[in-house]
Amino acid sequence: MKETIKTKISKIYILYILLRFIRNLVIDYPKWILFKIAKNWVILNRISMRLRPWLWKVTGVNIQGKVNIGYDVYYDVNCSNLIFIEDRVWITTRVLLLCHKRDLSNYYIGDDINKMPYSFGKIVLKKGCHIGMGTILMPGVTVGEGAIVGAGSVVTKDIPDWSIAVGNPAKVIKQIPRSNE
């Protein structure tokens, strides 16, 4: 009796492993290949500025309108559906868009950090915003319309429309004024 249960469980487990392998081969692996091409190929900008955003769309990023994405930009490929980019956004080189982080609300002395669950959040880049080189965008942030985030900043909270934010963590240092014309 125990032997038949063990053989059934082992067959189910083997089937599970096989199905997971097929899923990774068909769904996840092609997304990672496209991500690597979109991230690393400098020649993409020489071919067309529209090619890199198109590859991002294929991997699941929600892009509306024309956007510019620099070289070597990382994003959560498995959570790409949580990234929303509107028209005329400029993401410069080496930016990191994170849609997940460890939830440390129940982390205590002696706990294993690797067993802590993840929390997820959307990243929204509103129309016409500019993200400076080396910036890190944490989960759950919105960068407002026309806002500028300075190079090397770490965005942990929302940035309002038409403002300039810099630092770690990013803080608004200036509101962009209306034109006198």
Side-chain angles (χ1 to χ4, degrees):
M1 177 80 171
K2 287 183 182 180
E3 291 301 319
T4 58
I5 292 173
K6 283 183 181 178
T7 54
K8 286 182 182 179
I9 289 174
S10 66
K11 286 179 184 177
I12 292 171
Y13 183 71
I14 290 170
L15 180 63
Y16 169 76
I17 295 296
L18 181 64
L19 290 174
R20 189 166 178 179
F21 174 75
I22 291 170
R23 189 194 104 220
N24 288 344
L25 196 62
V26 173
I27 296 170
D28 291 342
Y29 190 67
K31 282 173 74 174
W32 277 99
I33 293 292
L34 289 173
F35 165 72
K36 288 295 186 184
I37 290 170
K39 182 182 94 53
N40 291 323
W41 283 16
V42 177
I43 197 169
L44 289 179
N45 287 351
R46 301 224 188 265
I47 296 169
S48 171
M49 289 295 285
R50 306 288 309 138
L51 198 51
R52 187 171 280 124
W54 178 79
L55 287 170
W56 278 39
K57 279 184 181 182
V58 171
T59 61
V61 176
N62 302 291
I63 297 177
Q64 301 167 355
K66 293 182 180 180
V67 302
N68 293 310
I69 300 170
Y71 170 73
D72 206 22
V73 177
Y74 283 87
Y75 63 97
D76 278 343
V77 177
N78 290 334
C79 303
S80 57
N81 61 324
L82 296 174
I83 300 172
F84 296 87
I85 303 173
E86 295 181 4
D87 192 27
R88 296 188 338 244
V89 169
W90 181 263
I91 303 172
T92 58
T93 302
R94 302 233 171 178
V95 170
L96 176 60
L97 293 99
L98 293 173
C99 295
H100 76 283
K101 65 180 180 180
R102 292 277 184 189
D103 181 9
L104 301 177
S105 58
N106 292 320
Y107 184 58
Y108 301 105
I109 295 174
D111 286 349
D112 184 359
I113 187 74
N114 296 314
K115 293 183 180 172
M116 293 292 109
Y118 287 103
S119 62
F120 297 89
K122 291 192 308 187
I123 293 177
V124 179
L125 303 177
K126 299 253 179 152
K127 187 167 103 179
C129 73
H130 177 90
I131 311 298
M133 287 180 76
T135 296
I136 300 172
L137 296 168
M138 297 302 287
V141 299
T142 298
V143 178
E145 181 178 345
I148 298 171
V149 178
S153 299
V154 178
V155 180
T156 58
K157 295 181 181 165
D158 293 350
I159 306 297
D161 295 348
W162 301 104
S163 61
I164 299 173
V166 296
N168 179 6
K171 293 181 180 148
V172 174
I173 60 166
K174 181 179 179 182
Q175 290 292 331
I176 299 171
R178 291 196 181 275
S179 174
N180 292 333
E181 297 174 9

